[in-house]
């Protein structure tokens, strides 16, 4: 089915001017960027966005990292977009990511792993609505 997933190009990637290269990976995989905005997340935004991880030992460091520079928040649309995006991102830890994936090729560490992508349709809907109004999604 045609799906939408939420994506973030993280501060480690914007700092190294990788936005275009990462967007090319999405487009080459058949994902359409139907909404996109460059922002500097506030601490409150990052804490709320990653709220499910707040008991994890890496939470404070993750929030500090995600507010350390600009990010690009985006909505990707395509057939099976959620799973497709997870395939091309690769494993969370770049050390475990398959060859040719975004994280294998670009990520610096398990934290500075260049991209975020929704893990389920339910979370995709929540994450998209957190950053975008319906009228900003232009298929
Ligand atoms: P993301 O897919 O955005 O979801 C949670 C983020 O926490 C993850 O990518 C990483 O950036 C970060 N993180 C840092 N340490 C870990 C860890 N040990 N396991 C999972 N995620 C981690």
């Amino acid at each position: 089915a045609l799906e939408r997933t939420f994506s973030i190009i993280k501060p480690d990637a914007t700092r190294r001017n990788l936005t275009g290269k990462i967007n090319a990976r999405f487009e080459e995989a058949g994902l359409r960027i139907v909404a996109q905005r460059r922002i500097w997340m506030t601490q409150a935004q990052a804490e709320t966005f990653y709220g499910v991880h707040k008991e994890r030992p890496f939470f404070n460091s993750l929030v500090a990292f995600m507010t350390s520079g600009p990010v690009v928040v985006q909505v990707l649309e395509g057939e099976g977009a959620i799973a497709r995006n997870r395939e091309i991102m690769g494993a969370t830890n770049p050390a475990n990511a398959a060859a040719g994936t975004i994280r294998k090729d670009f990520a610096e560490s398990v934290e500075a792993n260049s991209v975020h992508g929704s893990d389920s349709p339910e979370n995709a809907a929540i994450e998209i609505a957190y950053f975008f109004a319906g009228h900003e999604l232009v298929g």
Side-chain angles (χ1 to χ4, degrees):
L2 194 67
E3 287 180 343
R4 285 172 171 172
T5 191
F6 179 73
S7 169
I8 305 177
I9 301 177
K10 296 188 181 186
D12 66 287
T14 61
R15 177 171 47 78
R16 288 175 289 148
N17 260 356
L18 292 170
T19 299
K21 285 197 168 99
I22 291 172
N23 277 345
R25 299 286 182 105
F26 297 146
E27 293 186 338
E28 284 158 10
L31 297 172
R32 183 176 302 278
I33 302 163
V34 298
Q36 177 165 257
R37 187 187 310 119
R38 182 168 164 115
I39 63 169
W40 199 309
M41 273 198 209
T42 65
Q43 179 158 337
Q45 272 179 314
E47 286 177 353
T48 302
F49 181 77
Y50 280 121
V52 295
H53 296 305
K54 65 171 170 293
E55 304 306 326
R56 303 277 207 107
F58 58 80
F59 180 72
N60 288 343
S61 178
L62 173 62
V63 169
F65 166 63
M66 290 300 292
T67 58
S68 68
V71 301
V72 178
V73 292
Q74 38 189 201
V75 180
L76 309 178
E77 181 182 87
E79 281 298 315
I82 296 163
R84 186 88 191 94
N85 186 37
R86 293 182 72 77
E87 275 174 31
I88 66 173
M89 285 194 298
T92 302
N93 187 339
N96 303 326
T101 61
I102 293 169
R103 285 165 169 162
K104 184 64 166 191
D105 291 344
F106 299 129
E108 295 180 325
S109 68
V110 66
E111 176 174 87
N113 64 354
S114 300
V115 283
H116 165 83
S118 305
D119 62 4
S120 67
E122 295 72 27
N123 284 335
I126 292 167
E127 293 174 1
I128 290 168
Y130 189 58
F131 284 102
F132 291 101
H135 71 268
E136 295 180 291
L137 277 55
V138 182

